[in-house]
Amino acid sequence: MKNWPMLTAAAASVLLATSQANANAVRHYSADLDSSSWQLSEASRLECALEHEIPRYGKVRFQSEASKELNLRMKMDMKKLPDSYDVSAIESVPPRWRPGQASYQIGSMQLYKQFNGELQKQLAWTLLSELEKGRYPTFFYDDWYNNRDQVAVSLSSVNFRSKYDDFLSCVNALLPFSFEDIAYTVLNHEDGSEKLTISSQRKLKQISDYLKVDNDLELVLVDAYTDSLGARGPNQELTEERAKEIQAFFVERGITADRIKTVGHGEDRPIKSNENEINRQLNRRVIVQLAKPSGIEL
């Protein structure tokens, strides 16, 4: 019988690696030239969303919302959610018609059991910039349902740029404040005047701008209060008038009156004692509250 030479440790390692490479398969998900599509699925002053379908895998969604600061996140909706915790490497891969270019790593994404993947601001913008350059951001991870396979998910840059331009235009037009910034707003009047302070006028305009573009708000509640100086009856009438003035301000800007409820509380419910002018000024206030549907069905 023929005697085979003993394998060196290095040779054995090479054979093992080759064997593993042959045994493992990479399942690649990506839109081809004919199916690659990007869509601006949301385009308002409250939200902008850019979506890309990945055949047989799911879709990715880049989303930016109205806020004081520029924001962006990417969500990867998977048809098969992760079955365990993992980390996906992200590489920028050149398209096959650019054979001279190399791939390079641009980050990673945490994968959590039964959750879609998400990327926050900086890395989400990085992916968009790689797509703008005509490259394919690609996610690599081990398949949690078949440990012999690796999964590669690519975002195609085909048909991307025109929709990306639309997305950027939408982002630039977003309101520079969010719902949370104005959901509870306290307005104050100038000393010895029925006129709102400059700051309160600015807040009131922000609220009216928001009301114009968000038709899902359930109710706008305007509560007016005064201090304890003067008689109770006239104070009650004064707060009712002030609340109605705020309602009229909104109506003049196209907001229907039936979306706005006004209540005058007179001198009741002070937030400070009425012992001095500083406290009385704080008690002379109008509170505007915005309410959204809870989404809970009973």
Side-chain angles (χ1 to χ4, degrees), residues 103-143:
S103 300
Y104 47 81
Q105 189 165 353
I106 54 178
S108 63
M109 179 176 69
Q110 303 291 329
L111 297 173
Y112 298 97
K113 186 174 182 178
Q114 297 304 306
F115 281 91
N116 285 306
E118 285 196 13
L119 295 177
Q120 298 306 313
K121 182 177 178 180
Q122 183 173 351
L123 192 48
W125 281 116
T126 299
L127 262 63
L128 289 176
S129 66
E130 294 299 313
L131 286 162
E132 187 178 15
K133 292 186 290 188
R135 298 177 67 87
Y136 283 42
T138 303
F139 299 77
F140 295 93
Y141 59 87
D142 293 330
D143 186 5

Side-chain angles (χ1 to χ4, degrees), residues 65-68 177-185 210 290 292:
E65 299 174 343
S67 178
K68 291 179 179 179
F177 51 87
S178 66
F179 172 79
E180 288 72 20
D181 294 327
I182 58 170
Y184 185 92
T185 303
Y210 190 91
L290 310 183
K292 286 190 173 184

